[in-house]
Amino acid sequence: MDDTPQAAPAAGVLERYFSLSARGTTARTEVLAGVTTFLTMAYIVLVNPAILGSAGLPVASVAAATCFAAAFASIMMGLVSNTPLALAPGMGLNAYFSYTVVQQMGVPWQVALGCVFISGIAFLLLTLTGVRQLIVHSIPHYLFAAVAGGIGLFIGFIGFKDAGIIVANPATFVALGNLKDPNAALAIFGLLLIGALSVWQVRGAMLIGIVVTTLVGWACGMVSVSPEPYSLSALTGTAFQLDLAGVFGLSGSHGLGLLEILFVFLFVDLFDNIGTLVAVTKRAGLMDKNDRIPGLNRILITDATATIVGSMAGTSTVTSYVESAAGVQVGGRTGLTSVVTGVLFLGMMFVAPYAQVIPLAATAPALIIVGGLMLLPLTEVEWEDPLSAIPAFLTVAMIPLTFSIANGLAFGITAHAALKLVRGTITKKDWFLLVLALLFVVRFVWMGAA
């Protein structure tokens, strides 16, 4: 009689496909990591519809499109690149889409979706021609560490803000919030709980902390659910509604003005994605000894495809999420983590409005702790050498202070190129580095970003 557990064949398939043992992980760990990543990203199901809805897009449709795009992109990333990197419609670019492109510039949202689609095609072409890979390879290795550290501060800052521990202040920009506020108090409880579980080396400390903090919030009456009517058919309100004719000026009068929009979608997503990719893969220990990312082409092709599919579903640019680091911290090392995250987003399509049952006060502590743990790579920077210390510091500081991974990379790469020129160590091999630095300068001057 065969006593082999029925789950064994499935476990064998997962082991072979995702190389679990080779990366020092197990299916159980990957599932925990995927769930943790999902919980830290779930807010996008509520936030993205609210932001794009202000531009006139049907809110229920955007909710469905957000879930679908995140599910498709994360599952594809896991299956194609075997990387624990989850994707969803990006924060920042969705605000640019709604408030600047549609509301300020007066571009119809259908045309704006067309711009997202074209930018995705451009991403794909840049990847297939090797330009995006060239950009990654032109970044000096110490800036990889700086980006990881900067994103750690960024994630931590977002966590403190979501928790209400740090608040805006007109005199000092930021200040300590009211720690007696119920949300802040709940977040501090979650922070202490996850910290204690981590010190005790409890597996799944992040996930346990998020769930327990959510339950405490429910028990204290701090979680209220008032979902609006919703069904999967809502997706038809934005699916395939993009207006490509409008992008090329064949309808309406926005033709040439859309070049700036396309540039912003391209530029910001390109460098946000590279920064996140570098930080997460480095934290997961997936980079080789030469600081190269295995399967980089597959990762970038997946990213570009996700933006194209997302635009057709009816949402703004899809990009990799820094919250993926939460899953990596739990132990996620393979694409199975991303697949689990994607499957959960797929399930969320059926109950999208109920995502609010997980309060920000429950996920904020996880982001704070993950942010702190991501500072470890900063030890790789040669802080005694100004050639590396100055660009590294600018990168680390500007990512959280400008709320932009792209801006941090821009300052770091530009400073690195400028200092090499001044020092006289620039070579012919650095030609692409100089091109990048020049593009960053032009971007800052043209767009007034700083």
Side-chain angles (χ1 to χ4, degrees):
M1 182 176 180
D2 187 6
D3 295 326
T4 303
Q6 293 299 311
V13 171
L14 294 176
E15 167 63 38
R16 290 191 298 272
Y17 192 90
F18 294 105
S19 303
L20 300 178
S21 298
R23 295 194 181 182
T25 185
T26 64
R28 177 180 177 275
T29 298
E30 295 294 299
V31 171
L32 281 174
V35 174
T36 301
T37 297
F38 169 76
L39 289 176
T40 60
M41 289 175 60
Y43 68 88
I44 194 63
V45 179
L46 295 175
V47 176
N48 198 49
I51 291 176
L52 297 188
S54 67
L57 282 77
V59 173
S61 300
V62 177
T66 300
C67 294
F68 174 79
F72 171 86
S74 299
I75 292 173
M76 181 178 178
M77 180 65 75
L79 294 178
V80 173
S81 72
N82 197 20
T83 304
L85 197 65
L87 300 89
M91 291 294 293
L93 283 173
N94 56 2
Y96 176 76
F97 178 105
S98 180
Y99 304 128
T100 301
V101 177
V102 178
Q103 297 183 52
Q104 291 184 20
M105 299 178 67
V107 176
W109 62 262
Q110 294 88 344
V111 176
L113 283 177
C115 288
V116 175
F117 177 85
I118 297 300
S119 71
I121 296 294
F123 290 149
L124 189 58
L125 292 176
L126 289 174
T127 300
L128 294 177
T129 55
V131 174
R132 294 179 80 183
Q133 297 89 322
L134 195 60
I135 292 173
V136 175
H137 295 156
S138 68
I139 299 175
H141 73 278
Y142 74 85
L143 279 187
F144 285 173
V147 167
I151 290 179
L153 289 177
F154 187 28
I155 291 176
F157 186 70
I158 291 173
F160 282 120
K161 180 181 71 70
D162 289 347
I165 296 174
I166 289 179
V167 296
N169 184 287
T172 60
F173 292 105
V174 294
L176 183 65
N178 179 12
L179 301 186
K180 293 186 293 185
D181 178 83
N183 286 321
L186 180 62
I188 292 173
F189 165 79
L191 186 61
L192 292 174
L193 176 60
I194 295 176
L197 293 174
S198 299
V199 169
W200 292 331
Q201 298 184 342
V202 175
R203 299 287 289 180
M206 297 284 184
L207 178 58
I208 294 172
I210 292 172
V211 172
V212 172
T213 304
T214 298
L215 292 175
V216 171
W218 284 352
C220 296
M222 297 171 59
V223 179
S224 59
V225 182
S226 55
E228 298 182 3
Y230 171 84
S231 68
L232 287 180
S233 62
L235 185 60
T236 58
T238 54
F240 302 106
Q241 298 298 314
L242 64 170
D243 180 4
L244 294 178
V247 177
F248 297 105
L250 300 180
S251 64
S253 57
H254 303 285
L256 293 177
L258 296 180
L259 290 177
E260 177 182 343
I261 299 171
L262 288 170
F263 178 79
V264 172
F265 282 146
L266 271 169
F267 189 93
V268 176
D269 185 50
L270 176 63
F271 289 97
D272 269 9
N273 232 313
I274 288 175
T276 302
L277 172 61
V278 166
V280 172
T281 53
K282 190 172 186 63
R283 181 61 186 150
L286 299 180
M287 283 188 170
D288 62 23
K289 60 182 180 181
N290 296 316
D291 283 320
R292 297 296 176 93
I293 301 171
L296 179 61
N297 282 353
R298 294 191 295 274
I299 294 173
L300 297 178
I301 288 174
T302 299
D303 166 54
T305 304
T307 289
I308 295 171
V309 172
S311 68
M312 291 190 292
T315 187
S316 52
T317 306
V318 176
T319 186
S320 53
Y321 262 58
V322 293
E323 285 84 354
S324 301
V328 169
Q329 186 57 41
V330 170
R333 293 294 182 272
T334 75
L336 182 55
T337 292
S338 301
V339 171
V340 171
T341 301
V343 169
L344 290 173
F345 270 115
L346 196 61
M348 184 58 69
M349 286 187 67
F350 297 90
V351 290
Y354 289 92
Q356 60 189 327
V357 299
I358 304 171
L360 288 178
T363 57
L367 296 181
I368 293 170
I369 290 179
V370 168
L373 295 173
M374 286 186 69
L375 298 182
L376 179 62
L378 292 179
T379 58
E380 301 175 18
V381 178
E382 296 180 12
W383 294 106
E384 300 85 0
D385 182 7
L387 182 60
S388 59
I390 294 173
F393 171 73
L394 289 174
T395 301
V396 171
M398 295 306 288
I399 288 176
L401 293 180
T402 65
F403 242 64
S404 169
I405 300 170
N407 282 343
L409 262 177
F411 271 85
I413 291 175
T414 303
H416 175 76
L419 291 176
K420 289 198 73 171
L421 280 172
V422 172
R423 196 174 184 177
T425 56
I426 206 81
T427 66
K428 291 181 179 180
K429 294 181 179 180
D430 295 318
W431 70 271
F432 197 75
L433 174 68
L434 295 176
V435 171
L436 278 181
L438 180 61
L439 286 175
F440 283 128
V441 171
V442 170
R443 182 246 188 180
F444 285 132
V445 172
W446 181 35
M447 298 180 60

